[in-house]
Amino acid sequence: MHAAIRNAFNGRSIARTSDLLGAGVGQHDIRIASRGAAIVRVRQGVWALPGAPSPVVVAAAHGGMPACVSAARMLGLWVLDESDAVHVAVGAKDRVHVHPGCRCRTHRVARCELGRRTGIVTMLVQVYRCGGAESFFVTLESALRQRRLTPIMLERLSARLPASARWMLGFAREDADSGLESLLRFRLREHGIDLVSQVVIGGVGRVDFVLGDRLILEVDGKPNHDAPPKRHRDLVRDAIAAGLGYSTLRFDYALIVHDWPTVLAAVLTTIDRGVHLNR
Ligand SMILES: [Zn+2]
Ligand SMILES: [Zn+2]
């Protein structure tokens, strides 16, 4: 019977009662499997395997599959959105189901298969529509970094974005270390500030960005960045860079995401003083 259940789920973590019956699992077997926690009831006629990812189960309860930022998170992509609401793709003709604790965001798609995840091109289009250009850009650079987008997928993505958003495909890079780097570069571009990414400076090593000739911008968004050994290394790097005539500005997640005016003022004032130029 366990083999029949596996067949019914067919590599997914969600199945309908009709899938189970079709695979030869009878109503009686379904009851036994459910009582023995071999399958878990999601809603009327929909079952999950124990250990199914939570967004997949919530999406199935809602009537669809993870979409938008929820699908991006499942792929380990960086997302700007901080809420834990599940974004769900629901088929054009399918019903949205009310379920306990539902705070889902519904995205309509032509067709949806329970237990699957929204494809990456559609997912990125959803992120653009749902969270705007910034959200889209950080998730896009994260997908590029993970080499998840082939040239053909990028063409399809371009065709599905509004013309006003397509410039981001040309501006995006494959080497952004974190969404914070993407966000910093994106936001400073709006002020006409051009950053050179991932610059190797002799004696210092690779820095996140150089602005002009002499200003280093570092983004501390990586785990354990404030652990003592790393903190000491950063101070050493800054000291060596200063000895070579560079100035360094460092920003972290809280500053870039939640206190952008402070970051912008620091950068603009430093530029006004000409600190970034060789003199
Ligand atoms: Zn969304
Ligand atoms: Zn819901």
Side-chain angles (χ1 to χ4, degrees), residues 3-4 24 26-27 31 42 62-63 67 71-72 81-82 87 113 137 141 150-151 163 179 187 208-210 219 241 263:
Q27 290 285 7
R31 273 195 298 279
V42 176
H62 195 76
D81 176 84
E82 287 182 317
H87 293 231
E113 228 184 306
F137 185 73
E141 282 207 330
T150 62
R187 287 185 173 176
D208 292 336
F209 299 109
V210 170
V219 172
V263 173

Side-chain angles (χ1 to χ4, degrees), residues 72-279:
R73 277 200 193 95
M74 287 180 71
L75 289 173
L77 299 179
W78 216 92
V79 296
L80 189 54
D81 176 84
E82 287 182 317
S83 100
D84 55 4
V86 178
H87 293 231
V88 185
V90 180
K93 293 178 182 156
D94 297 340
R95 191 157 82 79
V96 168
H97 293 260
V98 179
H99 57 95
C102 177
R103 291 189 295 113
C104 305
R105 296 280 301 266
T106 303
H107 291 265
R108 287 290 179 179
V109 290
R111 206 164 43 81
C112 133
E113 228 184 306
L114 294 187
R116 299 255 182 251
R117 180 179 40 70
T118 305
I120 194 157
V121 171
T122 300
M123 176 202 89
L124 284 165
V125 174
Q126 289 166 341
V127 172
Y128 177 76
R129 294 208 185 118
C130 194
E134 278 189 351
S135 288
F136 169 77
F137 185 73
V138 295
T139 304
L140 171 68
E141 282 207 330
S142 184
L144 289 170
R145 163 108 193 170
Q146 289 192 11
R147 305 247 181 273
R148 287 187 183 272
L149 290 161
T150 62
I152 290 168
M153 290 163 88
L154 284 165
E155 267 175 41
R156 278 169 38 214
L157 177 58
S158 174
R160 291 181 58 188
L161 287 174
S164 61
R166 288 187 192 134
W167 65 270
M168 286 185 277
L169 298 177
F171 184 60
R173 300 176 54 102
E174 294 182 346
D175 62 359
D177 258 345
S178 75
L180 292 179
E181 288 184 20
S182 304
L183 194 55
L184 185 70
R185 205 164 68 85
F186 183 92
R187 287 185 173 176
L188 287 180
R189 180 189 175 276
E190 289 173 352
H191 296 269
I193 297 169
D194 200 18
L195 301 178
V196 184
S197 307
Q198 307 292 336
V199 182
V200 175
I201 299 173
V204 178
R206 187 183 299 272
V207 301
D208 292 336
F209 299 109
V210 170
L211 197 171
D213 310 306
R214 293 272 165 219
L215 181 60
I216 294 169
L217 300 187
E218 293 267 52
V219 172
D220 296 351
K222 296 104 199 176
N224 300 321
H225 216 280
D226 297 319
K230 179 72 177 88
R231 166 105 181 113
H232 179 67
R233 270 209 306 282
D234 288 344
L235 290 172
V236 171
R237 269 161 73 93
D238 294 352
I240 293 172
L244 295 169
Y246 288 89
S247 299
T248 303
L249 291 175
R250 264 179 202 284
F251 306 112
D252 66 2
Y253 182 93
L255 271 167
I256 293 173
V257 174
H258 297 299
D259 195 4
W260 176 248
T262 300
V263 173
L264 185 60
V267 173
L268 293 181
T269 306
T270 307
I271 293 175
D272 280 349
R273 286 167 45 222
V275 170
H276 61 306
L277 298 174
N278 277 330
R279 276 175 300 186

